[in-house]
Amino acid sequence: MLSAVENPSPRAAQVPLRAAVEALPPYVPGARAAGGAPAWKLSSNENPYPPLPSVLEAVRVAAADANRYPDMYASELVEALAAHAGVSREQVVVGNGSVAVLQHVLQAVVEAGDEVVFPWRSFEAYPITVAVAGGTPVTVPLAEGGRLDLPAMAAAVTPRTRVVLVCTPNNPTGPVVHADELDAFLAAVPGDVLVVVDEAYLEFVRDPQAPDGVELLRRHENVVVLRTLSKAYGLAGLRVGYAMAAPRLVAGIRAVSTPFGVSHVAQRAALASLLPAAQAELLERVEALVAERTRVLAALREQGWDVPESHANFVWFDLGEQTTARAAEAMAAGVIVRPFAGDGLRVSIGEVEANDAFLKVAAGWCASR
């Protein structure tokens, strides 16, 4: 006798997906080495340092309680993050990485057909999260040098606009928006339009003109600030992100959040990472990565590349139609980078040896131009 799987019902085969889901662009993760082949992985903006010993110990202890549900609201972690940022606990909500938190933000405010304005190219998850929330994406091209064109984004706001996404530093190009630019933008945007300031790479920013997200919250009730512990804190595999906003918005975001969305292990690892001693060690690592970014950018410019000024943990190559071929050449040389077909390559800052290997590849490209 055939099972139900071997002989599916004709009616079951006709179950439709939502049109927005059918049309979703796939999220493409950073590539990995095939078949265990040795390669430097510079494709995912990961922190190359392993978790601190104190964080690993917190993970080990927490794993013993894996049979129990985590604190649904991550209350202790919310308190710690609020104290770390200098806001009240009522202004913080956590989730399973900042992408999940962004999805919850959009679900809380976007009605079907509402417009969501964002720069492009920017974070690859933006069009996906907007579509899943039922919104209509409105993309605004980047300005020269991979910078956000905030005046053009303000001009794209219409009566149907519900949210604007501002990624700073912009992923995958690297520049930050400046405080005066963002102030002018917020003055131009109606107060009932939510402005999400995505600061996933905040800890790597060294531009004195960069905005202060927490200060923006104090002056604008329509601002949400997104942050993550995946990048600078090296917890990408545990998924902890958070949003800061006015208490009324936070309550709405929490209401649509996935129950128990942050595991107990992730909560304890995040709490261990926020302790003063861990903070000092983590900031030393961030400074080392910033120094490596400075070295890599200087070396690339010495080779003749015109690359944007990055304030994240990656660099950007505007290669257009050469992008896919160059990524394949890097892979063949043992360096995995992140291609965005037709646009360019993003290369994460990794170990010194990995960065040196990539610089050798880039020098070869430059010589062949």
Side-chain angles (χ1 to χ4, degrees), residues 149-203:
D149 190 341
L150 289 180
M153 290 174 64
V157 173
T158 75
R160 293 180 57 199
T161 304
R162 184 56 46 227
V163 181
V164 182
L165 306 179
V166 176
C167 190
T168 179
N170 187 49
N171 175 17
T173 57
V176 292
V177 302
H178 290 158
D180 59 345
E181 298 171 326
L182 194 50
D183 284 342
F185 173 78
L186 287 165
V189 172
D192 62 350
V193 172
L194 190 69
V195 177
V196 178
V197 181
D198 187 345
E199 295 186 327
Y201 300 92
L202 171 71
E203 293 82 1

Side-chain angles (χ1 to χ4, degrees), residues 10 30 52 64 189 209 214 233 301 303 313 322-323 334 348:
L52 296 173
V189 172
Q209 299 182 72
V214 172
Y233 286 79
R301 287 168 180 152
Q303 290 176 3
N313 66 337
Q322 296 181 343
T323 296
S348 305

Side-chain angles (χ1 to χ4, degrees), residues 52-133:
L52 296 173
S54 60
V55 175
L56 287 175
E57 176 61 15
V59 168
R60 186 192 68 79
V61 172
D65 291 325
N67 59 310
R68 304 294 184 187
Y69 284 108
D71 174 359
M72 185 163 127
Y73 297 118
S75 304
E76 190 176 351
L77 178 56
V78 164
E79 290 275 8
L81 289 168
H84 178 70
V87 299
S88 70
R89 66 181 313 278
E90 291 78 20
Q91 290 179 277
V92 178
V93 58
V94 300
N96 186 229
S98 61
V99 176
V101 178
L102 173 61
Q103 188 70 71
H104 299 149
V105 170
L106 297 178
Q107 288 172 327
V109 300
V110 173
E111 300 280 5
D114 284 348
E115 293 176 349
V116 180
V117 175
F118 54 89
W120 198 253
R121 179 168 288 275
S122 193
F123 184 30
E124 193 173 7
Y126 289 166
I128 299 172
T129 54
V130 170
V132 170

Side-chain angles (χ1 to χ4, degrees), residues 6-29:
E6 293 168 326
N7 186 23
S9 162
R11 292 184 65 190
Q14 301 303 310
V15 174
L17 293 172
R18 285 173 49 205
V21 173
E22 292 274 19
L24 280 179
Y27 184 96
V28 181

